[in-house]
Amino acid sequence: MGSRIDAMVTALENHNRDIPHKILSRTDYTSTEDLFEVIFRPDLVTIASVMTWNVITLDHTKTAYDAASIMKEKRIGSVIVTAYGKPFGIVTEKDLAHMSAFLDVPPKSLILSYLASRPLICARPTQTIQEAADIMGEYNIDHLPILEKDKIVGMITTRDIAVYLLYA
């Protein structure tokens, strides 16, 4: 029994002892660093990993009131405007604010085909977050619809990018 106790005492004494680096070199640090680069660098992470997948659409014949109501209900900042089932434009909270400030037209009378920003600037889900940020900066937009095979599959916003960068 004495040898067991001696072995435990030796193990505890050596527990905090510095171990040479060569013994710890079981991890390939190069590949670990590469993995962190892929996870945390916006120029390597795709839009699909950050975007919102559930996008609300409204037909171009609906009104500004309809758009404002659904944005408030769903707590979202934009809706995609469609014409004959295809993406046509986008209406954002900013568009609605400008409309109410500058136009003397009741929201229930203003149809979305007049109000929608177009052409619709889009990206693909395989593009990087950095590419999305570049597109948004170039066109001065805060909402970037994600298009795949002529269908809107998602949306990325400046807030999504900021949250990603904050927590990455």
Side-chain angles (χ1 to χ4, degrees):
M1 182 115 139
S3 64
R4 280 183 160 172
I5 294 174
D6 291 339
M8 288 174 55
V9 168
T10 304
L12 289 172
E13 286 174 351
N14 292 331
H15 177 71
N16 291 326
R17 188 173 52 104
D18 287 338
I19 301 171
H21 185 270
K22 289 182 181 178
I23 294 174
L24 295 175
S25 66
R26 292 185 180 195
T27 303
D28 181 2
Y29 292 103
T30 306
S31 63
T32 304
E33 288 171 4
D34 291 345
L35 177 62
F36 284 124
E37 283 183 10
V38 170
I39 293 171
F40 296 115
R41 284 188 44 200
D43 58 332
L44 298 176
V45 178
T46 63
I47 293 170
S49 62
V50 177
M51 73 181 190
T52 301
W53 290 86
N54 187 16
V55 179
I56 305 298
T57 62
L58 284 175
D59 189 72
H60 71 287
T61 59
K62 297 290 185 183
T63 66
Y65 179 82
D66 297 325
S69 297
I70 200 158
M71 282 187 223
K72 181 180 178 191
E73 175 189 330
K74 301 287 185 180
R75 299 182 66 173
I76 55 175
S78 65
V79 293
I80 298 295
V81 180
T82 59
Y84 309 105
K86 299 221 183 251
F88 169 76
I90 187 170
V91 173
T92 66
E93 291 172 315
K94 188 193 261 184
D95 296 330
L96 294 174
H98 285 197
M99 181 272 305
S100 65
F102 298 113
L103 297 177
D104 191 24
V105 178
K108 290 186 177 182
S109 302
L110 185 61
I111 58 171
L112 294 182
S113 59
Y114 174 77
L115 184 61
S117 298
R118 51 185 186 219
L120 191 59
I121 309 299
C122 298
R124 294 180 317 279
T126 55
Q127 288 180 274
T128 66
I129 293 173
Q130 183 62 55
E131 289 172 320
D134 292 344
I135 292 168
M136 295 166 88
E138 180 180 344
Y139 291 97
N140 193 27
I141 57 177
D142 293 323
H143 299 82
L144 182 63
I146 310 305
L147 195 69
E148 189 172 55
K149 297 180 184 175
D150 294 329
K151 290 187 179 185
I152 300 290
V153 295
M155 178 81 69
I156 190 167
T157 65
T158 50
R159 177 182 164 83
D160 296 328
I161 293 172
V163 167
Y164 167 78
L165 293 173
L166 183 65
Y167 293 108

